[in-house]
Amino acid sequence: MEEYHRPCDEVGFNADEAHNIVKECIDGVLGGEDYNQNNINQWTASIVEQSLTHLVKLGKAYKYIVTCAVVQRSAYGFHTASSCFWDTTSDGTCTVRWESRTMNCIVNVFAVAIVL
Amino acid sequence: MEKRIRGGRMPSSQAPQQPPATPRKERRPSMFEKEAYAQILRERLRESVHDVQYVEPPFDDSVADIGKEWKSALAKLKFANSYRMEPLKKFQAHSVETKVQQILKESLKDVKYDDKVFSHLSLELADRILLAVKEFGYHRYKFIIKVLFIQKTGQAINIASRWIWDIAWDSWVAAKHEAETYVALALVFALYCE
């Protein structure tokens, strides 16, 4: 009986591609905009949804989780930590921090492999 | 002789006529063409700065090689088919939520906001929550825990998450703990490893 042999792609999660994709999405949505209370919901939703669609277009067998936090720029303290229980050879994460004059944006991408 | 005349004429009639300096309104080229992309980027990013904070797996060559060898060795190993289509015990979000909420409350009772303390408290809390979730005993599940601390100084913050996963078995839990000077948010994502 022939077993399905998974095509050999590069080892692990390609964080380079992921952070390029995320950077483009954030620039597209927030580039040149000022913090605006009315639009902020829409912006966070579109950043996350667009990043997700582009990541899926890569065509890899991965489950993705994208988290985005957008904060108005002022004097404040912000800590974030994450702890993960997964297969370190195939799964990975990438964090992109983006700043402009009026806001800070942190986007986190987690990719978990699907073993076909 | 004609050449000389032509040569003589040119400097006198040299009135530099520059084309009108209005920017031509062209259809904006696609974002994904290399040269156009750089131009659009320059236009948009006058005031913004970006930075890649943390990337895993680490790009150190030696570590990547180890992974590669292990991975190719694994490909040669053929695991017996378990014929299992679903997890033994499905992830129960509500029980995990109560547990995480309890951990947050216990660790953050009477804790005031402090820069240095919080930077390692966040890591410690993330590890503690991970251990607690593992204790529940959900087999073949991968977990991702995210802990956020936001100082309350009157600014607005918006946090959004989206995912692509198997909705039958994968789920998530969020727990919030609010104190006078800060808000703590813990997110737990559970993914079934097929």
Side-chain angles (χ1 to χ4, degrees):
Chain A
M1 185 156 70
E2 287 228 347
E3 287 202 20
Y4 174 67
H5 186 62
R6 183 160 34 116
C8 253
D9 48 356
E10 70 258 13
V11 163
F13 170 59
N14 192 345
D16 228 356
E17 276 180 42
H19 81 72
N20 282 331
I21 287 174
V22 170
K23 240 178 352 183
E24 275 176 18
C25 288
I26 307 180
D27 292 335
V29 175
L30 295 182
E33 303 260 8
D34 281 338
Y35 183 84
N36 187 342
Q37 183 65 29
N38 301 330
N39 296 344
I40 193 67
N41 269 329
Q42 194 190 340
W43 286 340
T44 36
S46 54
I47 289 175
V48 184
E49 279 160 22
Q50 276 180 30
S51 317
L52 208 49
T53 21
H54 283 118
L55 282 168
V56 168
K57 278 190 194 159
L58 288 176
K60 303 233 179 95
Y62 275 99
K63 293 182 182 175
Y64 295 103
I65 298 178
V66 181
T67 314
C68 165
V70 178
V71 202
Q72 192 179 11
R73 197 158 172 180
S74 65
Y76 67 97
F78 183 63
H79 297 266
T80 170
S82 58
S83 177
C84 309
F85 180 64
W86 59 27
D87 181 355
T88 44
T89 52
S90 58
D91 308 329
T93 174
C94 169
T95 312
V96 177
R97 184 171 67 87
W98 186 93
E99 256 177 37
S100 84
R101 204 174 41 89
T102 47
M103 44 189 176
N104 281 331
C105 174
I106 298 183
V107 177
N108 217 328
V109 176
F110 296 103
V112 176
I114 300 176
V115 180
L116 289 167
Chain B
M1 205 152 107
E2 286 180 7
K3 273 191 200 164
R4 247 190 287 132
I5 292 175
R6 242 183 267 138
R9 234 187 257 156
M10 263 172 45
S12 61
S13 70
Q14 197 166 50
Q17 286 187 4
Q18 293 191 350
T22 53
R24 284 177 297 149
K25 295 267 179 191
E26 283 184 349
R27 216 179 105 231
R28 192 154 257 187
S30 149
M31 182 104 167
F32 295 99
E33 277 175 41
K34 283 268 162 82
E35 313 85 46
Y37 178 63
Q39 176 210 348
I40 292 176
L41 208 61
R42 254 178 273 124
E43 279 176 43
R44 289 223 186 124
L45 297 186
R46 288 161 297 199
E47 302 164 338
S48 58
V49 165
H50 63 249
D51 178 21
V52 177
Q53 202 64 353
Y54 177 71
V55 152
E56 199 189 305
F59 281 134
D60 191 17
D61 275 336
S62 57
V63 182
D65 283 343
I66 294 173
K68 228 177 265 178
E69 286 169 20
W70 199 84
K71 192 98 185 174
S72 49
L74 198 63
K76 287 177 206 142
L77 270 174
K78 291 183 181 158
F79 289 106
N81 208 339
S82 68
Y83 298 102
R84 182 177 302 292
M85 302 292 282
E86 49 194 48
L88 280 164
K89 196 164 95 170
K90 193 179 159 185
F91 184 75
Q92 303 288 343
H94 52 88
S95 45
V96 176
E97 181 166 2
T98 36
K99 178 78 185 169
V100 173
Q101 188 75 56
Q102 180 202 359
I103 294 180
L104 275 183
K105 211 161 158 187
E106 275 171 13
S107 355
L108 299 176
K109 196 163 54 162
D110 301 332
V111 176
K112 287 275 183 311
Y113 184 81
D114 184 59
D115 255 343
K116 300 178 200 83
V117 170
F118 268 36
S119 67
H120 71 76
L121 180 63
S122 54
L123 282 171
E124 197 189 299
L125 252 182
D127 288 334
R128 208 190 302 181
I129 295 180
L130 182 60
L131 280 174
V133 174
K134 282 204 277 187
E135 267 171 32
F136 273 96
Y138 293 113
H139 293 293
R140 296 185 71 84
Y141 266 92
K142 291 182 178 174
F143 301 110
I144 296 172
I145 320 280
K146 250 192 97 66
V147 172
L148 295 113
F149 287 111
I150 306 120
Q151 187 183 14
K152 281 197 206 173
T153 56
Q155 86 284 352
I157 180 168
N158 213 289
I159 301 178
S161 313
R162 294 282 188 284
W163 42 73
I164 289 193
W165 61 30
D166 188 346
I167 49 174
W169 316 116
D170 302 333
S171 174
W172 69 293
V173 156
K176 188 177 78 151
H177 179 266
E178 199 164 331
E180 264 184 19
T181 43
Y182 63 91
V183 178
L185 180 67
L187 296 168
V188 178
F189 299 101
L191 302 142
Y192 181 61
C193 173
E194 300 177 30

